Amino acid sequence: MPPGSSLYTLPPAAVAVLLSEPLGKLRPLRQDDDPQGFTLLDTFDHAVARRHLALVETAEALHLFCADGQWLTQSPARRGSFVTDLQDGPVRAALQAMAIRRSLQPLCGGTAWRGTAAFVDDEGKTHVRLRLLTLETGDGALTLLTLSGLRGYDKALDRLRARIAALGGTTPGALYPVLAPEAVAYVSRPEVTIAPTDRAFDTATDIIAAHLPLARRNEQGALEDIDTEFLKHYRIALRKIRSVLSLFKGVYDEGQTAHLKARFATLMAATGRLRDLDVYLQDRQSFYDKVPVDLHGGLDRMFQLFAAERRRELARLRRHLRSRAYATEIARLEKLFRKRKPLQKGPKAGTPVGDYAARLIWKRYRRICTIAAGITDLTPDDDVHALRIQCKKLRYLMEFFTPLYGAEQLKPLIKALKKLQATLGAFNDSSVQQDSLRAFVASLDPETPEAMGVAQSVGALVTVLHRQQLEERARVSDRFARFNSPAVQVQFETLFHAARKGDKRC
């Protein structure tokens, strides 16, 4: 437990022992309320639990238990399943401060008992108080309790903390394995064991085989439209698979590689427009902030049309994911990479992956250096886009091969690369959004009454986006210089090029 913590979890049996025995000369008093139902809430990726929190909803209150000893409570009233749908209060404020944006979903449920307890002296004076909440599911039960000492009675509080620690008191994170032992959080980066002597073919196949189930775990959430992150992570898993097929050149037969890339591209194509619309609708407020208030009417209509198109695209995605053709195709791909025998090996299939990984990463890093060195104010936008794509490929490679080099060695490099990617991503978003918005205006029927207003609003928005694009472009060289510092250059050369002599650094 953290020093001085006042929030603990204990098995109910241990609480019964705690409150049945005197604390020195103090005797225990306990009072429990009537039972009520409860639900343990968390996101699909257990964002609450990963922060060592526990979010419990009852008919009377929404409780947030924090590892630092806080027990926050507010009204359970809410409009929906997102943090922004909660009423204003300390729980909502705490969750918003942690940037928890995914939908809060029931993890498990059961029966809750609230109660209070105190240790009092012979004169009936309270020395320390306890607040209790016992949660019971079909899998187990736990009691959460907080302590509050009264002024002048610090020794009683210290003795009670020691007693709780001796009985096995832990942080609220212990709720999950006890109350919901079968709950498994979504992990976007699967752990793939890699040894330097492994064949490149086996490593590539292992990575793809690990990412296919990740895509599948997001299917139901995308179908139910629980939150937009399901579709996003579905696409990320497929994109990483396509990256393996593209980056691990020579590992698979060339013809089969082209065929597999086409099959995965077809799966991705069914999701592209819906994801674009999700991004627009999520960023709605930022678009309003970019143009004068008197032009908001045109944006209102634009977002109404986007929302209507999203409903159509969601219906199309649902038909796709529920189709027999999709079920057959995704099952065949899973089987192909699980069984492996039908996979045709290329000339690099047997290459030890340790050397193969170093060559891939070093080659990609050198390419980034070459492109970045040639960027000036006159460089075509396509070259800046090419730098962004190369950075994404380098990051994927380093993430794939983290088990080879260790997270501690690669984490600083990936962190530095992410900062460069953020600038390149902002540049790309501004560029793509301009093209998309121009196409949207061109698709409007000019005879409709709202067409002119929408065109004016979008025109002003495109002007602002163009200015932002130029600003981000101006930052690219500086961001690359920060990424490719002398220390980073040394790390790249040491990790991925130490065995080769004579090559110049970037």
Side-chain angles (χ1 to χ4, degrees):
M1 294 296 299
S5 177
S6 61
L7 176 60
Y8 302 83
T9 59
L10 277 173
V15 175
V17 172
L18 176 71
L19 299 178
S20 65
E21 299 177 352
L23 188 66
K25 296 181 179 180
L26 305 176
R27 58 188 174 87
L29 297 176
R30 178 176 181 173
Q31 181 177 353
D32 289 318
D33 295 337
D34 293 333
Q36 57 181 307
F38 85 91
T39 303
L40 186 62
L41 299 174
D42 207 337
T43 61
F44 183 62
D45 57 353
H46 290 191
V48 178
R50 283 190 287 106
R51 291 167 171 83
H52 305 291
L53 310 172
L55 185 61
V56 176
E57 183 180 48
T58 69
E60 297 177 350
L62 187 64
H63 307 273
L64 182 65
F65 301 96
C66 310
D68 63 2
Q70 294 187 82
W71 178 345
L72 306 177
T73 303
Q74 71 170 64
S75 166
R78 53 189 173 103
R79 300 187 306 273
S81 59
F82 294 90
V83 172
T84 52
D85 293 323
L86 303 178
Q87 282 194 358
D88 287 338
V91 174
R92 171 175 167 160
L95 294 175
Q96 283 185 313
M98 298 165 198
I100 294 179
R101 298 185 178 90
R102 297 203 66 168
S103 172
L104 298 168
Q105 296 294 309
L107 192 65
C108 67
T111 304
W113 290 265
R114 289 199 309 171
T116 58
F119 282 90
V120 302
D121 59 23
D122 292 340
E123 297 179 359
K125 292 181 179 179
T126 298
H127 288 226
V128 60
R129 292 193 179 95
L130 298 90
R131 184 182 176 194
L132 310 165
L133 182 66
T134 298
L135 308 173
E136 182 178 342
T137 68
D139 292 301
L142 271 177
T143 298
L144 294 122
L145 59 158
T146 58
L147 317 181
S148 56
L150 276 68
R151 183 173 298 178
Y153 297 117
D154 293 342
K155 289 184 179 180
L157 184 60
D158 291 341
R159 284 199 300 269
L160 185 56
R161 281 201 177 108
R163 175 82 61 84
I164 291 173
L167 289 170
T170 61
T171 64
L175 268 67
Y176 287 73
V178 174
L179 301 180
E182 296 182 1
V184 178
Y186 177 77
V187 179
S188 60
R189 295 177 191 168
E191 292 187 9
V192 178
T193 302
I194 306 175
T197 55
D198 290 345
R199 297 183 305 166
F201 172 86
D202 293 328
T203 297
T205 306
D206 287 344
I207 293 171
I208 294 175
H211 279 83
L212 271 167
L214 292 187
R216 304 226 61 185
R217 281 202 67 189
N218 285 281
E219 287 174 354
Q220 194 61 35
L223 277 168
E224 297 178 16
D225 200 26
I226 293 172
D227 65 49
T228 60
E229 291 293 299
F230 286 96
L231 182 62
K232 175 184 174 182
H233 284 281
Y234 175 86
R235 287 173 53 81
I236 288 173
L238 293 183
R239 188 184 299 123
K240 289 186 175 181
I241 290 171
R242 295 176 66 192
S243 294
V244 172
L245 294 170
S246 296
L247 294 171
F248 284 55
K249 294 185 184 301
V251 168
Y252 299 114
D253 171 77
E254 186 176 349
Q256 188 176 48
T257 297
H259 179 61
L260 288 169
K261 287 166 69 174
R263 290 172 71 179
F264 282 108
T266 300
L267 295 181
M268 287 281 285
T271 66
R273 182 55 183 167
L274 179 56
R275 179 58 191 161
D276 290 343
L277 291 166
D278 283 344
V279 172
Y280 278 120
L281 292 167
Q282 286 175 335
D283 293 343
R284 175 196 300 246
Q285 188 56 51
S286 71
F287 288 122
Y288 281 108
D289 293 341
K290 288 178 173 63
V291 300
V293 175
D294 60 347
L295 293 177
H296 284 190
L299 295 187
D300 289 342
R301 181 56 182 158
M302 181 183 77
F303 283 114
Q304 288 172 4
L305 293 171
F306 282 167
E309 184 183 359
R310 186 189 186 279
R311 289 191 290 272
R312 295 192 296 271
E313 287 296 326
L314 178 60
R316 186 176 293 115
L317 178 67
R318 284 170 169 165
R319 290 194 297 271
H320 167 69
L321 292 178
R322 288 170 175 157
S323 68
R324 181 175 297 178
Y326 174 78
T328 300
E329 172 68 348
I330 198 73
R332 284 176 176 171
L333 288 168
E334 284 188 295
K335 183 178 179 180
L336 175 64
F337 287 94
R338 185 175 64 250
K339 297 292 186 181
R340 303 173 185 233
K341 287 185 178 179
L343 289 170
Q344 301 168 26
K345 297 175 182 177
K348 299 290 183 64
T351 305
V353 76
D355 182 64
Y356 188 74
R359 289 176 181 273
L360 286 181
I361 294 173
W362 180 252
K363 179 181 178 181
R364 196 64 49 183
Y365 169 63
R366 292 280 292 173
R367 188 171 298 177
I368 288 171
C369 291
T370 300
I371 296 173
I375 289 180
T376 67
D377 293 342
L378 301 178
T379 302
D381 287 353
D382 286 347
D383 290 353
V384 182
H385 291 309
L387 178 61
R388 180 186 64 85
I389 292 170
Q390 294 301 324
C391 287
K392 180 182 291 187
K393 290 179 178 180
L394 176 61
R395 180 175 164 187
Y396 281 167
L397 283 172
M398 288 196 292
E399 289 177 349
F400 291 151
F401 293 121
T402 292
L404 269 179
Y405 298 97
E408 291 305 313
Q409 291 200 85
L410 293 191
K411 188 175 180 179
L413 299 179
I414 294 174
K415 183 178 180 180
L417 182 58
K418 282 182 178 180
K419 292 179 180 179
L420 173 59
Q421 283 186 283
T423 296
L424 293 168
F427 169 84
N428 181 69
D429 290 345
S430 297
S431 175
V432 170
Q433 287 171 355
Q434 289 174 68
D435 293 340
S436 180
L437 290 170
R438 290 191 188 101
F440 166 72
V441 171
S443 71
L444 295 175
D445 182 353
E447 302 300 323
T448 56
E450 72 268 16
M452 180 62 72
V454 173
Q456 289 177 337
S457 299
V458 172
L461 184 57
V462 167
T463 299
V464 175
L465 289 171
H466 179 65
R467 184 169 65 249
Q468 290 183 345
Q469 180 186 3
L470 295 178
E471 292 171 352
E472 294 298 338
R473 180 195 176 95
R475 297 188 181 103
V476 169
S477 295
D478 177 62
R479 291 294 184 188
F480 176 75
R482 294 186 188 183
F483 157 69
N484 201 40
S485 66
V488 168
Q489 291 182 33
V490 169
Q491 285 179 291
F492 267 100
E493 185 161 351
T494 300
L495 288 173
F496 311 116
H497 197 57
R500 299 173 198 155
K501 304 297 183 182
D503 279 359
K504 296 180 180 179
R505 291 183 189 170
C506 299

